[in-house]
Amino acid sequence: MKDFFRVAWLVVRKDLMVEARSLEVVSTTLFFALTVVLVFAFGLVREGTPVGDVSAAILWIATAFSGTLALGRTFERERQADTLRALMLAPADRPAIYAGKLAGMLLLMALVEMVLVPLVGLLFQAPILGHPVHLAALLLAGTTGFAAVGTLFAAMLVRARSRDVMLPILLYPITVPVMIAGVRGTAALFQGTPDEALARFWIALLVFFDVVFVTLALWTFEPVMTE
Amino acid sequence: MIDDFARLSVSSLSRHYGRRKALSRVTFTCDAGDIVGLLGPNGAGKSTLLAILGTLLAPSEGTVEYGTVTAEKGGAGLRARIGMLGHDLFLYPELTAFENLVFFGRMYGLRDAPARATAALDRAGLGERAHDHVSGYSRGMRQRVALERALLHGPRLLLLDEPFTGLDQASAAALVARLREEQARGVLIVLATHDLDVVDGLLTRELFLRNGRLMSVGTGEGPLRDRYHAAIMAS
C-alpha cells in the first residue's frame, strides 16, 4: 500500500512539474471555463439580475466542459512522446498510475473551480458564502466522480485516432448522474431559502457515486490499458 | 520479485484487432546475449510483437515465457527486468534529461536514482547538458537519453523500436557499440528496424516478418539485405 501511494505521488508531482513549466493545460482550461461563464452571463443576466435560478447549472456546465478539455490536453501530452506506455512499463502497481493521474486532474480542476465559483457568485448573484463547507463538499465529490470516469476513458482512448470525439461521447452519458446530483445539490444551497438537508442528501449520493466509479476504475485500469 | 531469466520463449503468439490479424502464430526462442532483429515492411507486426514482449499488450492467443514465468504471473517483478525504447522515446520534453531519468528511476524503485541518472548522462556524453530541457535536444541527443532511460534499471530484456531512426552515422555507430556492451553483459536484446545496413553483423538472429507472419528465421550468414529480400520479397 505504501508503494501504491509512493508511485501515485511520483506521478502527481511529475504532472505538476510539467504543468508548472508549460502552464498549457491550466491556461487553456481556465480561459475556456471563464468564456463559458461569461457567454452565459451575457445571455442570462438582465440589468444585473439573472433570469431564473441558473447559477448552479452554469457552474457545473463550465466545470464539466473545462474538465473535458483538461482531460484531453493532459493525456495528449502523455500521447505525444508515448510516455503513458513508459509509465505502464514501470514495475509499479498500474492502478497507482491511474490514481496519480486522477489526483493531478483533481488538483487542476480544483484550481479552475477556485476561479469559477467566485465568478459565478459575482455574475449570477449566487450566495456562494452562505454554506461554504457544503458547497466545497459538493464540488469535491462531484469533481471526483467526473474526473474518476474521465481519467479512465482519457487513458483508454490515448492511442485512438478519434479520441477527441469519443471522450465526450463516452464520458457525458456515464457522468450524467454526477452532474444531476451536483446541480441539484448546489441549487439547494443557492435557492432563496437554502435547504441544507437536501444538499447533504446530494453530497451523500455523490460520495456513493465516487466510491463506485473510483473502485471500478482502479479495478479495470490495467486490463483496459493492455487489451 | 521474480527470478532472473536467461531465455525468452514465444509460442504460437497471435494478436487480433477485431478481424485484422496483426500477428499470427509467431514462435521463436532467444537467449541472454542474443541480439534479435525483427525485420519486415511496415505493418508486419514488429511493434505489436514488441508491445506484447514488453507486457504492454495481451496476446489474443499463444504464450510468452520469460524464463519460466508468463507476463500475467510475473507482473511488476517481471517488468522490473524489462527495458524498452519506443519509437516515440518515452521522455517528457518539459523536463530536463536529469529529471526524466530520476523520475523513471524512482518509478522503478531505484533508491540511488539521482546518482544513476548522473552516471548514465555522463556515459551518454550529455553530462554538461543534463539540466537542459529535453525539448531543446536534437533527435540524436534525445535518443541517447531515451536509451539510458531504458537501461537505467539494468534490465535483462531490452526492447528497441526503430532505435536508429534519425541518427547520423556517428550516433548510429555509438548506439551499435552500446548494444554490443549490453550484449556482452548478457542482456537479451530484441530490436525492430528498417536500417538493414546498420544492423548487418550486429544481429545474432533475424526474424523476418510479413503481414503478421514469421516468414523465416535467419542466423547471420551472408549479407542481411540479400537475405531480407529473399525472405520478404520473394515469398
Side-chain angles (χ1 to χ4, degrees):
Chain A
M1 188 53 80
K2 189 181 164 193
D3 202 49
F4 181 96
F5 287 110
R6 183 187 67 81
V7 169
W9 166 241
L10 281 173
V11 173
V12 175
R13 198 175 61 171
K14 180 269 299 172
D15 277 356
L16 293 179
M17 202 190 289
V18 168
E19 183 56 29
R21 301 264 165 89
S22 67
L23 294 176
E24 180 198 345
V25 182
V26 166
S27 58
T28 51
T29 304
L30 207 49
F31 183 74
F32 181 76
L34 295 179
T35 305
V36 168
V37 174
L38 286 173
V39 167
F40 275 118
F42 278 115
L44 297 172
V45 178
R46 299 270 184 276
E47 295 171 1
T49 307
V51 180
D53 192 8
V54 293
S55 52
I58 288 163
L59 176 61
W60 282 97
I61 287 170
T63 300
F65 284 5
S66 59
T68 310
L69 181 71
L71 283 165
R73 293 307 307 163
T74 301
F75 281 90
E76 176 64 16
R77 185 182 278 156
E78 296 284 3
R79 190 192 67 80
Q80 279 170 355
D82 219 358
T83 41
L84 191 59
R85 294 185 108 198
L87 296 179
M88 296 296 289
L89 269 169
D93 276 348
R94 283 167 167 168
I97 295 166
Y98 165 82
K101 297 300 291 181
L102 171 60
M105 270 307 300
L106 285 174
L107 287 173
L108 179 69
M109 289 180 73
L111 188 69
V112 172
E113 284 165 358
M114 275 186 237
V115 178
L116 266 185
V117 171
L119 189 69
V120 168
L122 184 72
L123 294 176
F124 294 91
Q125 297 175 4
I128 57 169
L129 298 175
H131 298 82
V133 176
H134 287 83
L135 182 59
L138 276 164
L139 285 167
L140 177 65
T143 306
T144 302
F146 181 83
V149 180
T151 301
L152 178 67
F153 285 158
M156 191 176 84
L157 291 169
V158 80
R159 293 172 73 82
R161 279 190 194 147
S162 54
R163 58 191 166 275
D164 293 333
V165 177
M166 290 302 292
L167 180 59
I169 289 175
L170 289 172
L171 178 59
Y172 292 151
I174 291 178
T175 53
V176 157
V178 172
M179 289 296 113
I180 291 172
V183 170
R184 296 296 296 273
T186 309
L189 294 177
F190 285 177
Q191 65 195 13
T193 309
D195 188 341
E196 277 186 48
L198 187 59
R200 276 199 295 271
F201 165 77
W202 289 114
I203 291 168
L205 194 63
L206 281 170
V207 170
F208 171 74
F209 287 145
D210 290 352
V211 171
V212 171
F213 286 156
V214 172
T215 304
L216 280 176
L218 286 170
W219 186 41
T220 56
F221 183 70
E222 179 162 4
V224 157
M225 294 301 289
T226 53
E227 279 300 326
Chain B
M1 188 63 76
I2 66 159
D3 291 336
D4 196 5
F5 58 91
R7 168 165 282 208
L8 179 69
S9 308
V10 174
S11 178
S12 293
L13 199 68
S14 299
R15 173 69 201 194
H16 310 152
Y17 293 100
R19 294 174 67 184
R20 189 173 73 81
K21 288 184 175 179
L23 270 185
S24 186
R25 304 184 70 78
V26 171
T27 299
F28 69 94
T29 59
C30 47
D31 298 297
D34 268 340
I35 302 184
V36 179
L38 305 181
L39 309 174
N42 292 334
K46 304 185 293 292
S47 296
T48 302
L49 180 52
L50 283 178
I52 293 173
L53 297 181
T55 77
L56 291 170
L57 200 60
S60 305
E61 291 165 22
T63 56
V64 181
E65 286 186 319
Y66 306 80
T68 55
V69 301
T70 60
E72 219 170 43
K73 285 184 184 164
L78 172 63
R79 294 201 296 277
R81 305 231 176 252
I82 299 174
M84 189 168 187
L85 168 61
H87 185 251
D88 290 319
L89 300 184
F90 299 165
L91 295 171
Y92 292 97
E94 297 88 351
L95 302 184
T96 66
F98 180 76
E99 287 166 344
N100 265 290
L101 294 193
V102 170
F103 168 68
F104 283 108
R106 287 183 173 146
M107 286 293 289
Y108 277 79
L110 304 178
R111 291 181 190 280
D112 56 346
R116 284 204 198 201
T118 303
L121 289 168
D122 285 341
R123 193 184 308 119
L126 293 167
E128 289 184 4
R129 297 198 57 185
H131 298 285
D132 288 358
H133 291 176
V134 168
S135 57
Y137 281 16
S138 67
R139 169 77 195 191
M141 291 162 76
R142 270 182 279 167
Q143 192 93 351
R144 273 142 64 194
V145 178
L147 182 67
E148 294 305 329
R149 185 203 58 75
L151 290 168
L152 197 65
H153 56 291
R156 165 65 72 185
L157 173 63
L158 179 62
L159 306 168
L160 309 168
D161 196 357
E162 299 291 355
F164 300 102
T165 302
L167 296 188
D168 59 25
Q169 220 168 0
S171 302
L175 177 55
V176 167
R178 187 68 204 283
L179 295 182
R180 286 194 193 283
E181 277 176 34
E182 295 304 319
Q183 177 190 27
R185 287 219 292 260
V187 175
L188 201 169
I189 301 170
V190 181
L191 65 90
T193 185
H194 290 290
D195 295 286
L196 301 180
D197 296 330
V198 178
V199 297
D200 197 357
L202 173 70
L203 306 177
T204 57
R205 191 173 305 185
E206 304 100 17
L207 306 182
F208 297 102
L209 294 159
R210 195 176 74 175
N211 296 331
R213 291 180 182 278
L214 182 58
M215 307 307 289
S216 66
V217 179
T219 51
E221 290 171 19
L224 182 57
R225 194 165 285 280
D226 293 348
R227 283 181 287 129
Y228 179 86
H229 281 281
I232 301 294
M233 304 302 184
S235 54

